[in-house]
Amino acid sequence: MGGRDPIAATRGGPRRRSVLVVALVVLLGMIGTGLASFALHQESQRWGDQAFEQKQDVITQLVAAELFQYAFTIADLAASVGAQSELTAGDFAALTAQLNGLRLPGAVAVSYIVPATTATTPALQARWRALGNRRLTLSHGATARDEFFYPVLGRELDGRPPELGRDLQDTPAIVDALRTSRSAGGITFSEPFLPAGSTEQSFVIVAAVTSTAPASQAGQFEGWVTMTYHGRNFLGPGLGIIGGEQVAIAFADITGPEPITLATWEPDVAVDTSMPPRLIPIPILQHRWRLTVRPTLQLLPTAEAWLARGAAGIGTLITLLLAALTASVVTSRDRALRRVDQATAELRDDITRREAVEEQLRTREAELVGFAGVVAHDLRSPLTSVIGYSELMATMEDDPLSAAQRGRLSRVQNSAVRMRTLIDDLLAYATADNTTLKLTEIDLNALLDDIVAERLGDGPQEHTTIAYDDLPAVCGDPGQIRQVLDNLIGNAVKYTPPGRPAEVTVTATRPDPATCRVEVADRGIGIPEEQRGEVFNAFMRAGGSEGYQGTGLGLAIVWRIVERHGGRVGVDANPGGGTRFWFTLPARAATPRD
């Protein structure tokens, strides 16, 4: 009375241990899941960084190549202009004609610009009118200046004619580029500017023209060749083609105090904010540009992006399952301790149940054997009757059957024969694994004599030739080896194309003293190389055999029988056409495989 329950006292310790074990499993599982998810996330990030790096490298190379192409084009044009001893409007038109055929995305006009002062402007106008630009009128603002910059020749590249004769002082970006090019003697990019009446950023590429002809004027500064670009079309579709849906791109001029964006590519995919954008400077010809490349959600495949999350989810699920399993295993120990008294009875019950199961298996085995007998007798006997009576009806001379009825009777006969063949093949396939082998020495020549006589009869056959000679003796079950050879020879004859004589050759060799290799070669339709490893599967028919009758079990039966004899079977191409089936058998008595 009033004392502690000793059983309850002993239960507390195991229960606490069970809780600790389950908690430890959960802790270790979550740690492992976290580490695996972190590793996969890091690998995914590394892969994404590499893909992003490769994409930005390609884009940078594209942009740099385009910029250099623009520079080389204007440099070539400036050199051609400088080589003219007296540049006329016709000469300039001829020199710039090729530009319309070049791929210069964003280019809108090319111009030839000359410097002038107030005093030289009238003479300059008269000179260029005389050189072919008869409608040229040079004009400038009212503000007094020391120098003017007049476009005197030009060519449109986008369908809009260039504005000629108007001083460029109102566009400081162009004037600064002209002066820089003249002092440096090379190619210069202007800062972006907004043309009058336009909201689209533009810029020009300037190349100073130095005379090279005549020789007396070599090295003399003549003017500038400029090419004007609209930023929206700058670089053309190249950014979109390279960027695709994986990155967003912005191309900006950063020469001035504030970046000015000229061209962009924004795909219809959200930007991935988990990865920072890449800012890539591109300094070319004392001018600074910058590419801003931002990754989108398409940069990393969806499967890769969700890999870490999926691993975390699966790891958590496995951890919970392991925890549940551990809890079940640990608590089962407590239950087992409480059920010690019932263990013996349960063991006896288990033995009884096992005996019942074994008895049930033996019954099922007997039923399967009985089923085989039913198939062999109860199904084949009616089929035999159907075939016999249908043949009898077909041969009756006073039979009142019409031609259509005789055709239907023929289809009944053919269907019954195919069903009997299928039943025979099914029985042979089912019993090939468990039929008791009666091993003895087999004379292959005598066995083939019987097979050939059965297939060809006593008389000669014009369309079938089966050749064999001096075959060695082998060890095996005569009935099953006969079935192997009969199936292979039957296939060789059956799968010969119509109109071609069937040629079958049976040979045998001794690769070693204990083994005999038998080959059955034909000139039939052959078996595609990629299907030769599968033709021994049940119900498998090779390509090209669709027009020939068959159950797809003949080669499967061959494989089972040869395997039980401890041999191997295969098929190769027959040189000259057809197939060459081969199988090996023991040359002397051996223990069959069960």
Side-chain angles (χ1 to χ4, degrees):
M1 294 178 61
R4 296 179 60 190
D5 184 356
I7 297 180
T10 58
R11 290 175 183 169
R15 187 175 294 114
R16 284 192 296 271
R17 287 195 297 271
S18 301
V19 173
L20 289 175
V21 170
V22 173
L24 181 61
V25 169
V26 172
L27 178 61
L28 294 177
M30 295 308 295
I31 291 175
T33 299
L35 292 175
S37 299
F38 178 75
L40 289 174
H41 176 72
Q42 291 295 103
E43 181 64 20
S44 178
Q45 287 295 109
R46 186 187 66 81
W47 189 92
D49 290 340
Q50 288 182 350
F52 193 19
E53 193 76 25
Q54 293 173 358
K55 181 67 71 174
Q56 75 179 31
D57 287 345
V58 174
I59 294 171
T60 302
Q61 293 172 8
L62 168 69
V63 172
E66 292 288 354
L67 291 173
F68 276 116
Q69 181 186 3
Y70 295 150
F72 292 152
T73 301
I74 198 71
D76 291 343
L77 182 57
S80 299
V81 170
Q84 305 299 314
S85 58
E86 188 71 46
L87 181 65
T88 66
D91 294 334
F92 188 79
L95 292 174
T96 57
Q98 60 177 339
L99 297 180
N100 292 91
L102 296 178
R103 195 186 72 85
L104 299 171
V108 296
V110 60
S111 303
Y112 181 60
I113 300 172
V114 295
T117 62
T118 303
T120 61
T121 296
L124 189 67
Q125 176 178 291
R127 176 181 177 233
W128 286 104
R129 284 183 177 182
L131 291 175
N133 194 353
R134 295 183 177 84
R135 298 182 180 181
L136 178 66
T137 300
L138 302 182
S139 63
H140 55 80
T143 304
R145 300 187 180 93
D146 295 333
E147 187 176 24
F148 304 108
F149 302 90
Y150 295 117
V152 295
L153 297 173
R155 185 183 190 90
E156 51 83 14
L157 300 178
D158 67 342
R160 291 175 290 182
E163 187 176 358
L164 302 179
R166 183 176 179 180
D167 179 31
L168 298 175
Q169 286 284 4
D170 293 336
T171 311
I174 298 179
V175 172
D176 291 343
L178 293 174
R179 288 172 173 164
T180 301
S181 176
R182 179 171 57 185
S183 62
I187 301 171
T188 303
F189 290 83
S190 77
E191 292 186 10
F193 60 91
L194 286 175
S198 175
T199 59
E200 183 179 346
Q201 292 286 346
S202 300
F203 70 95
V204 297
I205 302 178
V206 180
V209 177
T210 302
S211 178
T212 58
S216 59
Q217 298 178 5
Q220 179 178 325
F221 173 76
E222 298 290 341
W224 302 269
V225 174
T226 66
M227 191 172 293
T228 306
Y229 293 86
H230 283 176
R232 182 182 61 185
N233 299 323
F234 184 56
L235 299 177
L239 290 181
I241 294 173
I242 300 299
E245 294 187 345
Q246 295 179 322
V247 293
I249 307 167
F251 180 72
D253 183 301
I254 59 173
T255 303
E258 295 293 333
I260 300 176
T261 300
L262 295 175
T264 61
W265 167 250
E266 297 286 344
D268 296 330
V269 181
V271 172
D272 186 358
T273 57
S274 65
M275 298 178 67
R278 303 290 173 86
L279 306 179
I280 309 162
I282 305 178
I284 295 180
L285 300 176
Q286 294 81 43
H287 206 84
R288 294 189 299 146
W289 313 89
R290 185 178 70 194
L291 272 174
T292 302
V293 185
R294 294 173 295 164
T296 69
L297 296 178
Q298 288 291 330
L299 177 65
L300 195 64
T302 303
E304 293 284 348
W306 283 91
L307 187 60
R309 301 178 188 177
I314 294 174
T316 302
L317 178 61
I318 293 175
T319 298
L320 294 177
L321 291 175
L322 286 176
L325 179 61
T326 302
S328 175
V329 171
V330 172
T331 54
S332 66
R333 178 177 178 274
D334 297 334
R335 291 195 300 269
L337 291 175
R338 293 193 299 267
R339 297 176 59 185
V340 171
D341 293 339
Q342 302 175 6
T344 303
E346 292 177 356
L347 181 59
R348 292 196 185 98
D349 292 342
D350 184 62
I351 293 174
T352 302
R353 286 194 299 270
R354 289 177 182 273
E355 291 176 350
V357 170
E358 291 177 358
E359 181 62 27
Q360 187 177 14
L361 290 175
R362 285 193 290 270
T363 301
R364 293 291 183 268
E365 185 178 358
E367 291 174 354
L368 288 175
V369 175
F371 175 75
V374 168
V375 172
H377 182 269
D378 294 349
L379 292 182
R380 292 175 68 186
S381 295
L383 279 176
T384 302
S385 299
V386 170
I387 295 172
Y389 279 114
S390 60
E391 290 177 349
L392 179 62
M393 293 176 64
T395 57
M396 294 176 60
E397 296 181 357
D398 56 348
D399 185 11
L401 295 177
S402 65
Q405 291 172 333
R406 287 186 176 276
R408 296 188 187 99
L409 180 61
S410 177
R411 288 198 293 272
V412 169
Q413 288 179 282
N414 294 335
S415 297
V417 170
R418 286 198 298 272
M419 184 176 294
R420 183 176 63 183
T421 302
L422 177 60
I423 291 173
D424 290 343
D425 286 349
L426 285 171
L427 282 173
Y429 181 72
T431 58
D433 263 351
N434 51 29
T435 301
T436 301
L437 296 181
K438 299 178 181 179
L439 301 180
T440 184
E441 187 175 85
I442 303 173
D443 184 352
L444 292 178
N445 292 290
L447 190 63
L448 284 170
D449 288 342
D450 291 342
I451 295 174
V452 171
E454 182 177 320
R455 286 194 167 273
L456 304 184
D458 296 332
Q461 296 289 326
E462 296 181 359
H463 302 294
T464 302
T465 302
I466 303 176
Y468 57 94
D469 186 27
D470 196 19
L471 303 178
V474 297
C475 181
D477 185 298
Q480 293 204 357
I481 300 304
R482 176 191 177 92
Q483 188 169 10
V484 169
L485 289 170
D486 189 52
N487 281 2
L488 294 179
I489 293 174
N491 281 353
V493 175
K494 178 170 64 176
Y495 292 113
T496 298
R500 180 191 300 175
E503 300 178 14
V504 185
T505 304
V506 183
T507 58
T509 58
R510 288 279 183 87
D512 58 71
T515 305
C516 180
R517 176 187 171 108
V518 181
E519 296 185 356
V520 179
D522 62 60
R523 295 296 179 187
I525 61 175
I527 298 174
E529 183 177 359
E530 64 274 10
Q531 296 182 357
R532 292 173 191 165
E534 302 176 0
V535 294
F536 295 99
N537 296 334
F539 304 107
M540 171 63 190
R541 305 196 71 191
S545 62
E546 295 81 2
Y548 299 85
Q549 293 185 1
T551 62
L553 288 172
L555 294 179
I557 294 171
V558 169
W559 186 87
R560 282 195 171 187
I561 292 175
V562 173
E563 185 190 43
R564 288 205 65 202
H565 281 74
R568 297 185 302 113
V569 63
V571 59
D572 300 317
N574 192 18
T579 54
R580 183 177 294 270
F581 285 89
W582 57 267
F583 61 91
T584 61
L585 290 173
R588 51 180 179 270
T591 302
R593 297 176 60 183
D594 295 327

